[in-house]
Amino acid sequence: MPGNKHLADVVVIGGGIAGASASFHLANAGARVILLEKGRLAGATTGQSSAVVGAFYGAAAECRLALATLAELEHFTDEVGGDPGFHQVGLLELGGPADGAALSAAVELRTQAGASVELIDASAVAEAFPGLLADGVSVASFERRAGYVDPVALTRAYAAAAERRGADVVERRAATTLVVDHGRVVGVDTVSGRIRCDAVVVANGIAAVSLLAPLGLDFGLTPRPVQYARFTAASPLRPELPAVLDDSQAFWFRADGDEIVSGLEFVPTGPLSDAATRDYAALCQRKLRRRLAAGTPLSSSRYGTMTVGMSPDGRPIADRVEGVEGLFVMVGDSGISLKFAPISGRCLAEWYVTGAPRSADISTFSAGRLRGGPKHTVTLRPGGHRRTVHLLRELSAVTAESLE
Ligand SMILES: Cc1cc2nc3c(=O)[nH]c(=O)nc-3n(C[C@H](O)[C@H](O)[C@H](O)COP(=O)(O)OP(=O)(O)OC[C@H]3O[C@@H](n4cnc5c(N)ncnc54)[C@H](O)[C@@H]3O)c2cc1C
């Protein structure tokens, strides 16, 4: 019932990419949806995401789900509507001397999962990607279908498409309590009154912990700071610059207009001080200069920290909650979930409407996998621990004055 702010089939809590995707897919399937966002759409983690979408995982299940999201992005304008700012520039992964065997095994696994990825001779990198330097690179892979989106545009496009299908998207209205009666969801209390509904999708990032706790639900989520550093390039970047996972430097970057967004493959366990965050940015700048052709002047534009919600095994949770009828969650984003949110939102909508997810197998994101503790921690790229130790050494050697 569009326009009635107190009655819905489904209330979606959180207007990041997870909530926006779920809202669109639910409304598209005919559900009456109210999306509640306590601030602005994509105003939290999603807004600062590097938003790279590709099958660059060490497990086939995650690769397949990332590919399902890529398929949705490829047909986004026709099937959802609007422009998600999808730049299908490919994903270049650069390995150092110790990475050869692991990268080639990863390419095989990703290929078997359906990814269009190939190994490239290190000497061919600079030739194939003018503007990039291959110092210290021994082996590389390139995933053609991968790319990045504009995370704010994607979130807004889903929300606008949900509205066109009758959803109410309400910013600056926070959910305060999930209302459950006899084991089933019957409503959501908000800062401006109760909404009656028969299902809820909890997609409000790490704040989900306090919303779920009164129901005795604890998925073991913990807040974790993730840093990023942005730079302005004084000369225009090549439009075809791929997203780069630079394993050889434990670093990643991609273009964003005339800026570059970057970060280290390093997950601090606690907040970094302002000085340490500046050191982090200085180290990113040093690594970026090693990769960009001489004559690409870079100045620091902004750096900062966002908080993500880590699940115990580093995989997101997208599931229907057992024991509470009508309750769905998209939580524990673990700093990797933008690429999964489109397909997870679609599957949860199918679950609500038809009783089961249909488009993909999202059991790798089930809450049940965590019973009895995490079994397999997600692996992004091989040799992670070795690289983290090295990065910590590099970070302690860098001085704040190095940032220009
Ligand atoms: C620097 C960085 C780089 C990243 N790079 C990538 C990448 O390349 N690829 C990738 O796939 N992922 C990446 N990620 C991770 C990805 O961005 C996140 O996993 C994803 O954006 C999480 O989306 P979300 O909707 O779950 O959470 P959020 O974006 O945090 O959205 C949750 C929303 O809920 C709202 N909210 C909170 N409480 C309430 C309430 N009570 N009522 C109503 N609303 C509420 C918040 O205001 C917020 O807008 C990156 C993250 C960072 C920080």
Side-chain angles (χ1 to χ4, degrees):
M1 194 175 292
N4 184 337
K5 301 278 192 286
H6 298 282
L7 183 64
D9 292 331
V10 189
V11 173
V12 177
I13 303 172
I17 185 57
S21 162
S23 297
F24 164 72
H25 288 293
L26 282 160
N28 195 40
R32 288 172 298 155
V33 175
I34 295 180
L35 167 60
L36 298 176
E37 165 52 50
K38 77 169 183 186
R40 304 299 307 269
L41 289 175
T45 310
T46 296
Q48 293 303 333
S49 181
S50 58
V52 175
V53 181
F56 48 92
Y57 284 86
E62 275 87 22
C63 291
R64 283 194 286 270
L65 290 166
L67 291 169
T69 284
L70 277 174
E72 183 152 321
L73 292 172
E74 284 166 346
H75 301 104
F76 195 90
T77 306
D78 293 337
E79 289 176 10
V80 182
D83 180 2
F86 182 35
H87 297 264
Q88 203 164 20
V89 287
L91 178 80
L92 181 65
E93 187 162 354
L94 303 174
D99 296 322
L103 192 56
S104 107
V107 165
E108 197 176 322
L109 178 142
R110 295 164 190 175
T111 305
Q112 276 170 13
S116 48
V117 58
E118 59 195 318
L119 274 179
I120 313 176
D121 194 319
S123 61
V125 168
E127 197 182 310
F129 302 97
L132 281 185
L133 303 176
D135 258 25
V137 174
S138 312
V139 60
S141 71
F142 185 63
E143 185 189 344
R144 249 176 309 118
R145 267 178 86 198
Y148 57 86
V149 294
D150 174 335
V152 178
L154 177 65
T155 304
R156 290 198 177 137
Y158 272 131
E163 279 184 314
R164 288 194 296 278
R165 286 155 178 82
D168 278 308
V169 175
V170 191
E171 292 178 298
R172 304 197 190 289
R173 187 177 178 191
T176 52
T177 313
L178 302 176
V179 188
V180 173
D181 187 27
H182 291 92
R184 62 170 307 129
V185 167
V186 294
V188 173
D189 281 341
T190 78
V191 285
S192 50
R194 179 165 296 183
I195 303 172
R196 282 188 291 128
C197 60
D198 62 15
V200 170
V201 179
V202 173
N204 62 330
I206 191 63
V209 171
S210 51
L211 214 48
L212 295 168
L215 303 180
L217 294 169
D218 177 358
F219 296 117
L221 308 181
T222 49
R224 187 172 277 182
V226 174
Q227 278 68 32
Y228 63 90
R230 300 182 75 94
F231 301 93
T232 305
S235 50
L237 296 165
R238 300 182 77 97
E240 72 279 14
L241 187 71
V244 179
L245 292 179
D246 187 353
D247 295 347
S248 72
Q249 298 198 84
F251 174 61
W252 56 263
F253 63 94
R254 68 143 169 106
D256 187 11
D258 63 357
E259 286 197 338
I260 291 186
V261 55
S262 70
L264 303 176
E265 194 189 293
F266 156 69
V267 191
T269 48
L272 296 183
S273 66
D274 288 352
T277 311
R278 193 183 155 88
D279 291 349
Y280 180 102
L283 188 55
C284 288
Q285 190 177 45
R286 184 187 293 174
K287 287 173 184 284
L288 199 47
R289 286 194 165 133
R290 196 166 176 217
R291 281 291 158 255
L292 294 181
T296 316
L298 284 175
S299 55
S300 171
S301 83
R302 136 172 93 84
Y303 53 88
T305 302
M306 300 304 293
T307 300
V308 303
M310 290 304 295
S311 77
D313 66 358
R315 286 184 177 83
I317 301 171
D319 203 355
R320 188 176 67 171
V321 177
E322 275 178 34
V324 187
E325 189 78 6
L327 182 58
F328 295 83
V329 289
M330 291 176 82
V331 296
D333 77 282
S334 301
I336 60 172
S337 78
L338 187 133
K339 71 184 73 58
F340 302 122
I343 185 62
S344 299
R346 180 189 282 259
C347 287
L348 290 195
E350 290 165 347
W351 212 336
Y352 170 74
V353 174
T354 70
R358 313 247 161 218
S359 296
D361 174 3
I362 55 166
S363 56
T364 191
F365 296 155
S366 74
R369 75 181 193 265
L370 297 167
R371 263 182 230 118
K375 286 154 199 86
H376 307 285
T377 303
V378 75
T379 51
L380 285 184
R381 288 171 298 286
H385 177 69
R386 166 174 49 82
R387 278 198 283 271
T388 300
V389 171
H390 184 67
L391 269 177
L392 286 171
R393 266 192 233 116
E394 285 186 294
L395 267 172
S396 63
V398 89
T399 59
E401 296 74 50
S402 339
L403 183 66
E404 290 160 29

